[in-house]
Amino acid sequence: MKIILAQQNYHIGNFEHNTQKIIEGIAAAKAQGADLVVFSELCICGYPPRDFLEFEDFIRQCYHAIDMIKAHTQEIAVLVGCPARNPQREGKDLFNAAWFLHEGEVKQVVHKTLLPTYDVFDEYRYFEPSYEWNIIPFKGKKLAVTICEDIWNLGDNPLYRVCPMDMLMGQEPDVMINLSASPFDYDHDEDRKEIIRANVLKYRLPMYYCNTVGSQTEIVFDGGSLIYDAAGNIAKVLPYFEEAIGGMDLEDLVSKGEAPAEMVAFTPLTELVYDHNINRIYDALVMGIRDYFGKMGFKKAILGSSGGIDSAVTLAIACDALGSENVRAVLMPSPYSTEHSVDDAVALSKNLDNPYDIIRINDIYESFLATLEPYFKGLPFNVAEENTQSRIRGNLLMGLSNKFGYILLNTSNKSELSTGYGTLYGDMAGGLSVLGDVYKMQVYALARYINRDKEIIPVNIIDKAPSAELRPNQKDSDSLPDYAVLDKLLYQYIERRQGPKEIIAQGFDSALVSRALKMVNTNEYKRNQFCPIIRVSSKAFGVGRRIPIVGKYLS
């Protein structure tokens, strides 16, 4: 039996597009001589559909897509992910389901048992967990079909009370098949491989694991679908961050090779490593921009180019994602901008061959100050004058965006967002945040990665001390701790959810810990108004981190 995995990029709610893509995948699998082709979790409607699931019309269109696809299953069996109605009155109205289609019919529907309700997941809001477990008989083999989270309940501290595979083993399956929508983060691929391998070694069965690929607003799916033989060895890996179709004969997996001598449990990063999987982070950000624009029908981007590291990295990634000709950089020097910053920004755009403009804001800034002077009443220069420059820039960028149809890319990094080091309606403006889940030191690592073959980002941008240039001789270090220390501290609090005592025990200064955590928690109101952030870490700001705005904890 030849089983093919179809790793595809879907568009949430675009039923015509998704259905056509799946039909094309079936045809490609037939051409490879497949007996069965496996698609990813909720591929019919796209993942995560969220509150679209509350619309009956949405579910009707899901069922209509199933009807169209099953007509192409006369000579091949197909597993697709699609919501399924719950026939019982009790419980939620829907299941997250895998539909087994063959000979033009729906032969069987498997329901997901374990419904994640953490981080970016909220499946129990919509779905009823499965209450029965059955293998799928096909061509003399017994298929144990599970959906994403169903295989993640192993280890010494399981999140759920049941393992679906434990329930299925009594029916003596021959192979495990998992339909997934497993999001990317820079530490997750290793974790994913180990959990699949742990299942293979526990149940002594080969596994076909089909993951989706593509970006859905803030969530990036990296693909990397896997096939393991029964001994726990990787037999095939599909590419990351691109669509692919491929598989293997089941017979080649049953007794292929010896299992490694011992099982090595995956250990997540215990501290921030700036360049860890930096190539994957880069690819995820490129895909995040490209899919956001492509799926929303946007063509061109605009951003403020300051001569600093954040805007430089954002511009380089955007040019890769959209084409340099489609990314417009606007340099907006104020009275406190240095000429070398302007020169660096110009050199960057010349290296990237993207269009750029220089709009000096000195006169606009002076007119604002003159208008506000009677109300400021001679009070000393402070953050009010600094932020006025930033908001002027935001207004200019949005004016150009509205006039020419650009989407404004935000250039703030995670370190700044964490500590509130940004101006609402100024440098925090944007339609999509590119670096909002990337700490400052990771931004430097991205710059070095971008320059790996030749100098694209001028070295001076990488070497100079970071500065907002909103007052004379300003440096970020005037307001924030050194990024090399701050980023590691923030990682402990945000990604690892360590409290102040645990962080101090790691050697961080107690006063610095108290100050940093207070900055994080008191600036939740700013982040709550921020644009969508492309997620590349295990804990990004946005839908996966829900912190009260008016909470008192550590503030």
Side-chain angles (χ1 to χ4, degrees):
M1 181 191 299
K2 187 171 186 179
I3 301 176
I4 294 288
L5 304 179
Q7 176 178 292
Q8 296 182 320
N9 187 343
Y10 306 105
H11 188 184
I12 295 171
N14 191 339
F15 293 99
E16 182 178 354
H17 168 86
N18 296 344
T19 301
Q20 184 58 38
K21 186 176 286 287
I22 290 166
I23 291 171
E24 290 170 358
I26 294 170
K30 285 181 180 178
Q32 293 188 28
D35 299 290
L36 169 64
V37 57
V38 181
F39 295 86
S40 58
E41 179 180 15
L42 293 184
C43 57
I44 294 290
C45 59
Y47 189 95
R50 295 184 175 148
D51 282 8
F52 280 157
L53 292 166
E54 296 178 352
F55 291 82
E56 176 57 28
D57 179 66
F58 189 85
I59 305 304
R60 270 197 302 270
Q61 292 199 51
C62 289
Y63 273 66
H64 177 65
I66 290 287
D67 287 338
M68 294 182 67
I69 291 166
K70 70 184 183 184
H72 296 265
T73 64
Q74 294 294 344
E75 300 170 355
I76 188 172
V78 175
L79 271 168
V80 289
C82 180
R85 295 188 179 100
N86 182 1
Q88 296 191 9
R89 292 180 58 85
E90 298 83 5
K92 306 292 174 59
D93 291 338
L94 297 172
F95 292 103
N96 183 339
W99 295 61
F100 185 73
L101 313 176
H102 189 219
E103 297 173 335
E105 300 176 358
V106 177
K107 295 290 188 180
Q108 199 163 325
V109 180
V110 173
H111 301 151
K112 187 174 182 177
T113 304
L114 309 183
L115 303 176
T117 306
Y118 55 83
D119 200 70
V120 298
F121 305 106
D122 201 6
E123 289 195 25
Y124 194 64
R125 177 183 176 101
Y126 311 103
F127 297 118
E128 180 71 7
S130 182
Y131 44 77
E132 58 182 14
W133 300 271
N134 293 294
I135 57 92
I136 298 176
F138 179 62
K139 290 202 167 183
K141 300 293 183 181
K142 298 177 181 179
L143 316 180
V145 176
T146 57
I147 302 172
C148 204
E149 188 86 349
D150 285 344
I151 62 171
W152 283 81
N153 203 39
L154 302 184
D156 58 5
N157 185 26
L159 185 61
Y160 308 94
R161 295 177 181 271
V162 63
C163 282
M165 276 306 304
D166 288 348
M167 313 302 290
L168 290 165
M169 285 304 291
Q171 300 173 50
E172 301 181 347
D174 298 293
V175 61
M176 296 182 287
I177 300 174
N178 185 268
L179 289 69
S180 271
S182 179
F184 168 82
D185 73 58
Y186 52 72
D187 208 21
H188 191 49
D189 182 49
E190 294 87 348
D191 190 17
R192 188 190 294 151
K193 287 177 179 174
E194 285 303 319
I195 202 69
I196 296 170
R197 185 165 172 268
N199 276 268
V200 169
L201 295 183
K202 178 178 179 179
Y203 301 112
R204 296 294 172 180
L205 295 172
M207 180 180 284
Y208 292 80
Y209 174 92
C210 186
N211 193 27
T212 192
V213 69
S215 182
Q216 308 290 3
T217 312
E218 65 277 87
I219 305 175
V220 178
F221 299 95
D222 56 338
S225 299
L226 295 157
I227 301 175
Y228 273 75
D229 69 25
N233 301 297
I234 295 178
K236 192 176 188 67
V237 183
L238 295 192
Y240 293 89
F241 300 105
E242 61 183 78
E243 294 186 309
I245 292 180
M248 294 181 66
D249 286 326
L250 176 58
E251 288 71 17
D252 293 337
L253 303 174
V254 176
S255 58
K256 194 170 178 77
E258 296 294 326
E262 61 184 57
M263 180 69 184
V264 180
F266 170 75
T267 302
L269 289 178
T270 56
E271 67 175 37
L272 180 64
V273 179
Y274 307 138
D275 59 354
H276 178 64
N277 284 337
I278 203 68
N279 59 321
R280 296 275 179 87
I281 293 175
Y282 180 87
D283 290 342
L285 295 174
V286 169
M287 174 169 278
I289 295 172
R290 185 177 292 149
D291 272 13
Y292 187 78
F293 276 68
K295 292 176 181 179
M296 294 289 287
F298 302 141
K299 303 296 184 185
K300 294 180 180 291
I302 192 170
L303 57 82
S305 182
S306 67
I309 190 72
D310 300 314
S311 61
V313 169
T314 303
L315 180 58
I317 294 172
C319 286
D320 191 351
L322 303 174
S324 295
E325 70 279 6
N326 295 315
V327 185
R328 184 175 182 178
V330 184
L331 292 62
M332 295 167 285
S334 77
Y336 307 109
S337 302
T338 58
E339 282 306 312
H340 69 74
S341 290
V342 177
D343 293 342
D344 291 339
V346 170
L348 172 65
S349 282
K350 288 182 177 179
N351 289 346
L352 291 168
D353 196 28
N354 70 277
Y356 69 92
D357 304 281
I358 302 176
I359 304 175
R360 296 190 177 272
I361 68 169
N362 299 42
D363 292 343
I364 304 173
Y365 179 53
E366 291 300 328
S367 71
F368 265 72
L369 296 184
T371 301
L372 291 168
E373 195 278 330
Y375 307 97
F376 283 2
K377 299 182 184 299
L379 292 170
F381 182 103
N382 71 354
V383 69
E385 286 84 359
E386 291 183 28
N387 288 347
T388 295
Q389 298 164 74
S390 182
R391 292 192 177 109
I392 289 169
R393 290 173 175 139
N395 272 301
L396 291 172
L397 288 167
M398 287 308 302
L400 292 167
S401 171
N402 292 160
K403 184 62 69 175
F404 299 106
Y406 295 109
I407 296 300
L408 175 58
L409 294 177
N410 184 273
T411 64
S412 300
N413 62 65
K414 192 171 187 175
S415 307
E416 295 168 344
L417 291 176
S418 299
T419 56
Y421 194 60
T423 303
L424 279 173
Y425 327 118
D427 60 332
M428 290 184 72
L432 180 69
S433 169
V434 178
L435 300 178
D437 198 28
V438 180
Y439 289 110
K440 187 76 169 189
M441 298 305 294
Q442 290 176 302
V443 177
Y444 283 103
L446 280 168
R448 292 188 291 271
Y449 178 75
I450 290 166
N451 282 6
R452 64 195 181 278
D453 296 323
K454 63 178 181 178
E455 183 178 310
I456 295 174
I457 297 176
V459 172
N460 189 53
I461 291 179
I462 299 173
D463 291 344
K464 67 185 175 186
S467 170
E469 295 189 340
L470 297 175
R471 63 173 183 264
N473 303 312
Q474 184 182 26
K475 299 289 186 292
D476 287 8
S477 56
D478 300 337
S479 303
L480 297 175
D482 181 74
Y483 283 118
V485 177
L486 176 64
D487 287 357
K488 288 182 178 290
L489 192 163
L490 293 172
Y491 178 83
Q492 294 300 320
Y493 180 55
I494 297 168
E495 272 83 352
R496 300 197 66 227
R497 274 86 80 194
Q498 299 293 296
K501 289 184 179 180
E502 291 84 359
I503 297 174
I504 292 168
Q506 295 178 39
F508 291 94
D509 177 74
S510 60
L512 174 59
V513 171
S514 178
R515 177 189 171 203
L517 301 194
K518 181 176 181 179
M519 284 193 290
V520 175
N521 285 9
T522 56
N523 282 287
E524 186 62 32
Y525 78 99
K526 284 188 175 182
R527 293 188 294 272
N528 201 258
Q529 302 177 63
F530 197 57
C531 57
I533 299 169
I534 300 173
R535 177 187 184 271
V536 297
S537 80
S538 61
K539 185 58 67 174
F541 294 127
V543 296
R545 188 175 187 272
R546 305 176 190 182
I547 301 296
I549 293 176
V550 296
K552 182 62 178 171
Y553 177 61
L554 300 178
S555 62

